[in-house]
Amino acid sequence: MDCSAVPCVALTFDDGPGEHTSRLLDILAAHEVPATFYTVGRQVEKRPDVIRRMKAAGHQIGNHTYDHPQLTTVSADEVRSQIARTDALLRAQGVTPSTVRPPYGSYNTTVLQVLGSLGHGAVNWNVDPQDWQLRHTPTVVQRVTSAASPGAILLLHDVHPTSVDAVPEIIRTLKARGYHFVTVDQITGGVAPGTLVHRGVRP
Ligand code: NI
């Protein structure tokens, strides 16, 4: 997919894998849409089979820390531990994690330096429907589809069934507008270690 020639968006799902993630994988498969999952190590330990299924389906799998601390409030050693531990859990499932999403989108120079030392770039988002708070499917659909633009990275949380329920209509609506769904790595062209992107450019 050449995202400089056609409009692309990337669906991203944070905080899983959870109890609704397998159903989400069914939906993505039915629509032949790839996504990017920012997984939490503590959840990877509980559902390694779901990680293997993501990998087999060709989804991008990234690191969202071990247990979701705000990285700007912990020591550099703790940042390193949070990321390295989750990298190891993903690698144990045959996954090479690509990029980190810092919890709450929260980062500073120290956080980015530590991520860079572990070979990771960071990825936030362009469109945040606040689905975790809203938990109302039609409004999540409306917020995402009205805010989407070419190159946008869309933030959702696969731990909420109301968010998973929004995915089919988000896909149908944006495909009807000519959008192609791609992974974060496809939309950004890859993220250099120690840098942060929203949509392929540094903010
Ligand atoms: Ni999160």
Side-chain angles (χ1 to χ4, degrees):
M1 195 61 58
D2 180 359
C3 293
S4 65
V6 298
C8 293
V9 288
L11 278 172
T12 67
F13 297 96
D14 286 15
D15 298 355
E19 62 180 301
H20 308 284
T21 306
S22 290
R23 184 163 66 85
L24 172 59
L25 290 171
D26 293 341
I27 291 168
L28 295 171
H31 291 270
E32 298 184 358
V33 160
T36 301
F37 290 88
Y38 286 103
T39 60
V40 170
R42 197 166 57 179
Q43 297 299 112
V44 173
E45 286 177 332
K46 290 180 192 165
R47 294 185 174 83
D49 53 314
V50 178
I51 297 295
R52 291 194 296 274
R53 188 178 165 201
M54 285 175 188
K55 175 183 159 70
H59 299 299
Q60 182 178 332
I61 302 168
N63 184 326
H64 194 45
T65 74
Y66 179 73
D67 61 6
H68 212 271
Q70 186 165 349
L71 295 179
T72 51
T73 67
V74 301
S75 69
D77 281 349
E78 177 64 12
V79 174
R80 184 180 309 279
S81 166
Q82 286 279 333
I83 301 304
R85 191 171 177 186
T86 301
D87 278 348
L89 287 164
L90 290 169
R91 288 198 181 103
Q93 301 308 321
V95 169
T96 302
S98 176
T99 67
V100 167
R101 174 164 284 158
Y104 316 103
S106 187
Y107 67 94
N108 57 24
T109 305
T110 303
V111 168
L112 292 181
Q113 280 173 349
V114 173
L115 298 187
S117 74
L118 294 169
H120 283 300
V123 174
N124 278 339
W125 55 82
N126 305 106
V127 176
D128 176 7
Q130 302 275 306
D131 62 315
W132 57 273
Q133 190 173 44
L134 198 59
R135 307 205 191 179
H136 183 255
T137 298
T139 311
V140 171
V141 171
Q142 195 278 329
R143 287 185 179 179
V144 170
T145 57
S146 65
S149 62
I153 295 170
L154 315 174
L155 170 63
L156 291 165
H157 295 80
D158 52 324
V159 289
H160 297 303
T162 44
S163 300
V164 172
D165 289 343
V167 171
E169 191 60 26
I170 289 170
I171 292 171
R172 276 192 291 268
T173 301
L174 293 180
K175 276 188 173 177
R177 289 188 202 155
Y179 281 100
H180 296 260
F181 286 85
V182 298
T183 63
V184 163
D185 278 349
Q186 288 171 310
I187 226 164
T188 59
V191 184
T195 69
L196 176 129
V197 302
H198 290 266
R199 61 162 80 190
V201 292
R202 294 186 70 165

